[in-house]
Amino acid sequence: MLLHGISTAWIAVKSQDGKSLAKGDTGLSQNGLLELDHSVLGVASAELKGLDGSKLEKISGNNSIQFSYADPLNPTCSLTVNSLSMDVLAKIVGMEKQGGGWQMKDNKPTTALIVKAPSLVSDAFVYFCFPSGNFLMGDKKLDSDSDSKKTPVTDALSFAAVDDPNINDMYRIYSTVDSDWKDEQTMFKELFPDYSATTPQPAQK
C-alpha cells in the first residue's frame, strides 16, 4: 500500500509482564492508551526498522544453494513527538520523582506503541502495532536562539519491540482494506485484552 505521512499514534504503559495496560494515575489515560494528538503537538516522524530479518542467510551444499533463512526480527522505531509533558515522558522511559526533580529508575517500564498511517491513493489506513517494548528518552541537542529564529527541540524517542504475551509475537500490522477489519476499538481489544472502549482522558497529575 502506498502510504504517506502519519495520521496519529498511541502509546501506553503496561504491567511489567506485558499482559495488561496501566490505567488511571499509574498509566497514561483512564483506559490506558494515550493518543499523540494536538495535546502533544502531534508526531513529527516514526521511522520503523527491523520489521523483517536484517538479511537472508544461505546454506550451501553439493555446490549449490540448498536453503535460505532470515535473521531474527528486530523491530524498532525512532519516534519524534513534538511536545510530550514531563510526567508522560517520565512514565514511558522509567523516571521517578526524587526530591523536586526526576531520576531514572533501574529498570525500564514495559510500554506499547501504535502508529497509524494513511494511504496516498484511498481513504484506507495501516496500523503498525507494537504491543510490548521499551522506550529510550534519546539525546537532546540544545542550540541557542538567534535574532532571526528560534530553535525548538522535540522529544526524539527510541522504541524497541519485545515479544508480547498476548499476541505471541513482536508486532502486528492491520489494514482497513482487509475483509476482516472491523474498527479501531476491536483492534485495541485484540492487542490489549483488558482494554475498555472508554474515551481516553489524560491521567491526573
Side-chain angles (χ1 to χ4, degrees):
M1 182 177 291
L2 187 60
L3 302 176
H4 75 99
I6 300 168
S7 292
T8 191
W10 295 264
I11 56 175
V13 176
K14 305 182 72 179
S15 58
Q16 201 60 45
D17 62 8
K19 291 183 178 180
S20 58
L21 292 165
K23 301 176 182 179
D25 292 344
T26 60
L28 302 183
S29 73
Q30 294 307 311
N31 69 9
L33 292 178
L34 176 65
E35 184 174 0
L36 301 177
D37 54 15
H38 182 67
S39 65
V40 299
L41 302 184
V43 176
S45 66
E47 184 179 0
L48 307 175
K49 293 185 177 181
L51 299 181
D52 205 343
S54 58
K55 61 179 179 178
L56 288 171
E57 304 287 354
K58 298 177 182 179
I59 296 178
S60 299
N62 296 346
N63 293 333
S64 63
I65 304 300
Q66 299 284 341
F67 186 76
S68 67
Y69 62 92
D71 285 341
L73 300 181
N74 183 28
T76 62
C77 178
S78 297
L79 183 73
T80 301
V81 184
N82 284 320
S83 182
L84 280 177
S85 65
M86 188 64 218
D87 64 314
V88 169
L89 179 63
K91 285 180 179 179
I92 65 173
V93 302
M95 288 190 284
E96 61 185 351
K97 255 309 179 56
Q98 293 288 347
W102 298 91
Q103 291 179 204
M104 281 291 180
K105 299 178 183 178
D106 291 334
N107 298 313
K108 285 289 181 187
T110 301
T111 55
L113 170 65
I114 299 172
V115 179
K116 178 181 179 181
S119 167
L120 182 62
V121 295
S122 71
D123 58 358
F125 296 92
V126 172
Y127 299 80
F128 298 90
C129 305
F130 307 92
S132 291
N134 306 106
F135 275 106
L136 287 177
M137 182 165 58
D139 298 331
K140 295 285 187 183
K141 185 177 185 297
L142 306 176
D143 292 315
S144 175
D145 289 343
S146 69
D147 59 359
S148 61
K149 67 176 183 178
K150 294 182 179 180
T151 56
V153 179
T154 56
D155 294 302
L157 305 167
S158 297
F159 178 87
V162 299
D163 197 63
D164 180 79
N166 294 322
I167 70 169
N168 295 314
D169 210 333
M170 289 186 171
Y171 72 90
R172 276 186 185 172
I173 298 175
Y174 290 83
S175 172
T176 59
V177 299
D178 286 345
S179 59
D180 54 356
W181 168 260
K182 293 183 175 64
D183 51 46
E184 286 183 356
Q185 301 302 316
T186 301
M187 177 187 72
F188 292 150
K189 189 69 175 176
E190 273 191 16
L191 296 168
F192 314 109
D194 64 325
Y195 171 80
S196 56
T198 57
T199 302
Q201 297 292 330
Q204 294 296 313
K205 298 180 182 179

